[in-house]
Amino acid sequence: MANQIECFVLLRGGWKPTVEAFCATLDARYPALAPFTGEAGDPEAGLPYRLLVDGAEVTMTVVNAPYPPEQFYPPIRLTETADVDALVEMQLAYVLLSATAPQMEPAPGEDDPAHEPPTTHVGGDPSVELAEGYAAAVTLVASVVAAASPSLAAFWRASWRLVPCEVLHKAAERVMAGDPPRDLWVSTAEIRGQRAGGGDNLAMTTFGLRRFVGREVELSPAPVAKPAAEALVRELVGKLLDGQAFEDRASVVHPKMNESATLRLADRFLRASQRAAVLVLPSSIHDAETLTPKRGAAKRGGFVNRLFGG
């Protein structure tokens, strides 16, 4: 099984690096990983550069045309603070950094029943660490691209994170310090209002986690404060990326919360076409056993499905 890790660096104009100069820049930026080697590409012909980063192959494709604007919307507005509209207007080219990480879990969009994620547990797959290694390699190269090119911002598509290049540079520094920038690779988005059953209810979903464990984490709507909800979701995300396995119906507890959540594995929940690890609090509007609305609770409308993919 293979899994594609991708980052796009948006540019103000065209860029045509030489592989020798780029590898020399990589050597200077990351001497602990030197020497870097690569094969030249051709931006005009659409041929990628091929770079070897600590044993992981990262391809670098320079596209002297704007990144398709429609692919920035709609979920990115839920998860980022960058001025998306301004960047869409300013960007004239982009660089795609990509690596293919072996993975036992299914890659997004693949429905082969022989490669479906386990229905009894989530996490515990040794390929998660390998996938994080490939994500780290892409992050390191993307940071150098951003520094060496007329860059505007970086777009980590799986997590819908569009960030200033400074954030990408800090992420690369964290990689080199042994602190994986999981908040770049996996983001969270809140859901409120009628989409979450009305009232003070809040639901939450991750973007990008399925690249590592085959599922996204989703929090069933409940009257819970955003900091507590995000802390609970991030607690589970961190443990899954650390290699911990959770059985279906396991209890997930965050030290700052007074109640534990029940973890349920579902083929779909908030997002109609997305396998999920669902966190259900005692105060959630859904029953933890059936994942259906409790008696008297408002049923979830179709807007969430339309927004997040149906």
Side-chain angles (χ1 to χ4, degrees):
M1 208 63 201
N3 193 12
Q4 205 74 8
I5 308 292
E6 296 178 331
C7 178
F8 297 80
V9 178
L10 309 182
L11 307 181
R12 302 174 188 274
W15 184 53
K16 189 174 182 179
T18 65
V19 70
E20 295 83 6
F22 191 79
C23 286
T25 304
L26 286 169
D27 288 342
R29 180 73 69 91
Y30 312 119
L33 300 179
F36 291 85
T37 59
E39 296 178 6
D42 185 349
E44 294 181 2
L47 298 176
Y49 298 76
R50 299 187 181 277
L51 307 165
L52 199 61
V53 182
D54 199 27
E57 183 180 90
V58 177
T59 61
M60 180 174 72
T61 306
V62 181
V63 181
N64 289 315
Y67 183 82
E70 66 276 6
Q71 294 191 26
F72 288 121
Y73 306 102
I76 197 168
R77 289 188 178 277
L78 299 176
T79 59
E80 264 315 308
T81 57
D83 190 336
V84 180
D85 292 326
L87 286 171
V88 167
E89 292 295 326
M90 294 171 64
Q91 55 112 12
L92 298 176
Y94 65 93
V95 181
L96 165 61
L97 291 313
S98 178
T100 302
Q103 183 172 319
M104 293 174 65
E105 302 283 18
E110 297 193 7
D111 296 320
D112 184 352
H115 295 100
E116 290 184 358
T119 57
T120 58
H121 71 278
V122 60
D125 186 341
S127 67
V128 172
E129 183 178 4
L130 184 60
E132 279 204 320
Y134 277 79
V138 170
T139 302
L140 294 177
V141 177
S143 177
V144 172
V145 169
S149 68
S151 59
L152 283 167
F155 180 34
W156 200 276
R157 186 164 61 179
S159 62
W160 291 98
R161 289 213 61 188
L162 178 66
V163 298
C165 293
E166 291 77 10
V167 173
L168 189 60
H169 298 324
K170 290 179 181 178
E173 291 175 2
R174 289 173 58 187
V175 166
M176 295 304 295
D179 175 25
R182 292 168 173 173
D183 52 343
L184 173 64
W185 305 336
V186 180
S187 67
T188 59
E190 62 178 287
I191 305 167
R192 290 186 180 274
Q194 292 305 312
R195 294 174 289 166
D200 295 328
N201 289 326
L202 177 146
M204 190 162 282
T205 183
T206 62
F207 289 102
L209 184 63
R210 64 180 178 175
R211 295 285 186 180
F212 301 95
V213 301
R215 295 179 185 270
E216 299 289 356
V217 170
E218 296 181 349
L219 175 68
S220 169
V224 59
K226 180 182 176 179
E230 189 158 18
L232 178 64
V233 169
R234 282 288 176 189
E235 178 85 1
L236 179 57
V237 169
K239 289 181 177 179
L240 290 172
L241 293 178
D242 282 340
Q244 188 169 337
F246 288 84
E247 300 291 329
D248 188 29
R249 295 180 173 82
S251 292
V252 179
V253 182
H254 187 273
K256 296 183 179 180
M257 296 190 71
N258 296 324
E259 55 183 354
S260 63
T262 300
L263 177 68
R264 296 304 317 275
L265 303 182
D267 287 340
R268 58 190 57 84
F269 189 60
L270 294 178
R271 298 156 68 183
S273 59
Q274 179 59 61
R275 298 183 180 97
V278 183
L279 291 168
V280 186
L281 292 164
S283 56
S284 294
I285 68 173
H286 292 98
D287 180 83
E289 185 61 32
T290 64
L291 292 183
T292 57
K294 295 175 181 175
R295 189 171 183 177
K299 290 188 177 181
R300 176 171 56 87
F303 184 72
V304 170
N305 286 343
R306 293 197 299 274
L307 180 64
F308 291 110

